[in-house]
Amino acid sequence: MIIQLAPEITSDQREALKTQISSLKYKTNEVRTQIGEYIIGIGKEKFDVRNIGHLPGIKDIHIVSDDYKLVSRKWKVNQTTIDLGDGVLIGDGHFALMAGPCSIEGEENIVKTINHLKENGVQIMRGGVFKPRSSPYSFRGMGIEGLKLWYQLARENGIKIVTEVMQVSQIEEMHDYVDMFQVGARNTQNFNLLDELGKVDKAVMIKRGISGTIDELLYSAEYVFSGGNEKLLLCERGIRTYERASRNTFDINAIPILKEKTHLPVIADPSHGVGIRDHVEPVALASTVAGADGVIFEIHEKPEKAFSDGQQTLDYEESAKLIRKMRALRELV
Ligand code: PEP
Ligand code: MN
């Protein structure tokens, strides 16, 4: 069960509430987020919600049978909107595009990307400065100095930043220079990282694990939410299957399933999802029709020269065409 507490609840009322929940053989977990306060009751016994619902200090109470609670749509029926500031909204009808290079490569690369985004009305730029690479000898990103440079140029141009945080120690140094933290597919179940991101007042986009189930992704989101941060987005980026014809198997099913299970916005990443430049567009368009709240994709002025993931990166002409088509499709559906 989820009990949303009234802001004016007294400590006596809180104790009475907890005693009542314990008497139902439910374990109580208190959650305080930047937006509200909740008591999460965990238990199996059936009970009459009216036995608790009448107690003073309760704003709302819901029975949520899912193992994840706060991210469940059984609790919050209306979709969540993520507000990045300056009118940049994601979710509940606000379709968000996020594009940029796999890795931030330097000033020229940043400026060219920003210009392309502005020409096409895209408000959020992606890019990695800390890169998880399969080989330690691959380019591992420009680091915090690259992020600071990027931030300065992005701010001057009204562009928001989404970038991957790989470990707890990076959160603080990155904090002032990002609009949205990305949790990468290799870190979806890094529970320490998720706990710490719960304390952050910035949006967090969690990617689905390489071999992660949909429910595991939702549990990861529950970590951040119950840690205090409700500004959450989920991202389907393809999973590892026996198929070798594509880099990953983009799970289109995950989009409508996630939309049914959670109130959080669902973003599609067709670039990593298929991993093949020529097929990014159809997968992006399919995701748009499937109900994604946004699409994140990799672009570069010269994909064949990109420091990482060039094989799945669109050039600006392909990007502009894709953006036009996604917007047209959104109108249609
Ligand atoms: C990325 O976005 O560049 C990235 C590394 O993504 P993922 O964690 O999905 O592999
Ligand atoms: Mn990449």
Side-chain angles (χ1 to χ4, degrees), residues 129-181:
V129 292
F130 295 110
K131 294 301 301 178
R133 302 305 304 277
S134 298
S135 162
Y137 309 118
S138 302
F139 178 64
R140 291 163 77 174
M142 287 184 73
I144 193 71
E145 292 314 315
L147 179 60
K148 287 180 182 171
L149 171 70
W150 177 17
Y151 176 80
Q152 184 201 332
L153 295 165
R155 274 296 171 273
E156 284 166 12
N157 288 282
I159 295 285
K160 303 290 178 190
I161 287 180
V162 54
T163 191
E164 176 164 356
V165 58
M166 283 176 60
Q167 55 186 20
V168 171
S169 63
Q170 291 164 349
I171 296 176
E172 200 177 317
E173 58 173 347
M174 293 172 76
H175 179 273
D176 291 351
Y177 309 101
V178 306
D179 299 292
M180 197 195 301
F181 283 107

Side-chain angles (χ1 to χ4, degrees), residues 102 126 131 247 272 298 308-309 312:
C102 178
R126 63 143 287 141
K131 294 301 301 178
R247 180 178 179 183
H272 295 87
E298 292 179 336
S308 54
D309 283 353
Q312 65 191 31

Side-chain angles (χ1 to χ4, degrees), residues 241-249 273-277 279:
T241 67
Y242 51 81
E243 186 53 68
R244 289 288 163 268
S246 51
R247 180 178 179 183
N248 291 299
T249 298
V274 63
I276 302 163
R277 187 174 167 190
H279 304 320

Side-chain angles (χ1 to χ4, degrees), residues 219-258:
Y219 289 130
S220 295
E222 187 82 10
Y223 261 87
V224 181
F225 200 125
S226 64
N229 188 353
E230 301 192 15
K231 291 193 218 96
L232 276 173
L233 306 92
L234 305 177
C235 179
E236 164 61 35
R237 50 77 74 199
I239 47 174
R240 179 160 293 175
T241 67
Y242 51 81
E243 186 53 68
R244 289 288 163 268
S246 51
R247 180 178 179 183
N248 291 299
T249 298
F250 186 84
D251 181 9
I252 195 86
N253 303 349
I255 296 172
I257 291 174
L258 280 168

Side-chain angles (χ1 to χ4, degrees), residues 30-322:
E30 290 179 76
V31 169
R32 181 195 293 266
T33 74
Q34 290 143 10
I35 297 175
E37 253 198 288
Y38 311 88
I39 293 180
I40 313 300
I42 306 290
K44 293 241 179 311
E45 311 271 319
K46 292 246 178 312
F47 67 95
D48 186 341
V49 73
R50 285 169 298 189
N51 288 343
I52 295 191
H54 71 278
L55 292 172
I58 294 181
K59 186 169 166 198
D60 209 357
I61 177 164
H62 284 276
I63 307 298
V64 181
S65 48
D66 296 331
D67 285 332
Y68 40 86
K69 307 283 179 198
L70 291 158
V71 303
S72 170
R73 203 157 186 170
K74 291 196 179 126
W75 166 59
K76 190 170 170 226
V77 179
N78 294 332
Q79 292 187 37
T80 292
T81 306
I82 303 298
D83 186 350
L84 296 184
D86 304 312
V88 182
L89 302 171
I90 310 170
D92 198 21
H94 303 281
F95 184 64
L97 295 176
M98 315 176 195
C102 178
S103 307
I104 296 297
E105 298 179 3
E107 181 160 354
E108 190 189 331
N109 171 240
I110 298 170
V111 170
K112 284 188 167 154
T113 309
I114 287 177
N115 289 341
H116 171 73
L117 297 184
K118 284 171 72 179
E119 278 163 24
N120 289 279
V122 175
Q123 296 169 299
I124 308 168
M125 178 167 161
R126 63 143 287 141
V129 292
F130 295 110
K131 294 301 301 178
R133 302 305 304 277
S134 298
S135 162
Y137 309 118
S138 302
F139 178 64
R140 291 163 77 174
M142 287 184 73
I144 193 71
E145 292 314 315
L147 179 60
K148 287 180 182 171
L149 171 70
W150 177 17
Y151 176 80
Q152 184 201 332
L153 295 165
R155 274 296 171 273
E156 284 166 12
N157 288 282
I159 295 285
K160 303 290 178 190
I161 287 180
V162 54
T163 191
E164 176 164 356
V165 58
M166 283 176 60
Q167 55 186 20
V168 171
S169 63
Q170 291 164 349
I171 296 176
E172 200 177 317
E173 58 173 347
M174 293 172 76
H175 179 273
D176 291 351
Y177 309 101
V178 306
D179 299 292
M180 197 195 301
F181 283 107
Q182 174 176 320
V183 176
R186 292 154 194 81
N187 257 324
T188 310
Q189 291 191 310
N190 179 341
F191 300 118
N192 293 328
L193 183 63
L194 299 174
D195 273 339
E196 288 304 311
L197 288 169
K199 300 175 189 161
V200 161
D201 60 348
K202 295 273 164 101
V204 175
M205 179 171 74
I206 309 178
K207 287 196 160 192
R208 181 171 177 187
I210 290 174
S211 304
T213 65
I214 290 172
D215 273 3
E216 283 166 345
L217 176 60
L218 291 163
Y219 289 130
S220 295
E222 187 82 10
Y223 261 87
V224 181
F225 200 125
S226 64
N229 188 353
E230 301 192 15
K231 291 193 218 96
L232 276 173
L233 306 92
L234 305 177
C235 179
E236 164 61 35
R237 50 77 74 199
I239 47 174
R240 179 160 293 175
T241 67
Y242 51 81
E243 186 53 68
R244 289 288 163 268
S246 51
R247 180 178 179 183
N248 291 299
T249 298
F250 186 84
D251 181 9
I252 195 86
N253 303 349
I255 296 172
I257 291 174
L258 280 168
K259 297 282 295 177
E260 180 198 72
K261 284 176 177 263
T262 179
H263 53 86
L264 300 173
V266 177
I267 308 299
D269 176 348
S271 307
H272 295 87
V274 63
I276 302 163
R277 187 174 167 190
D278 283 349
H279 304 320
V280 169
E281 177 180 304
V283 177
L285 297 179
S287 308
T288 308
V289 176
D293 296 293
V295 176
I296 184 166
F297 58 102
E298 292 179 336
I299 59 169
H300 194 280
E301 60 270 26
K302 287 202 177 71
E304 59 288 355
K305 294 253 162 67
F307 288 7
S308 54
D309 283 353
Q311 82 290 345
Q312 65 191 31
T313 296
L314 304 184
D315 65 25
Y316 292 162
E317 207 178 307
E318 291 163 331
S319 164
K321 183 159 78 76
L322 173 59

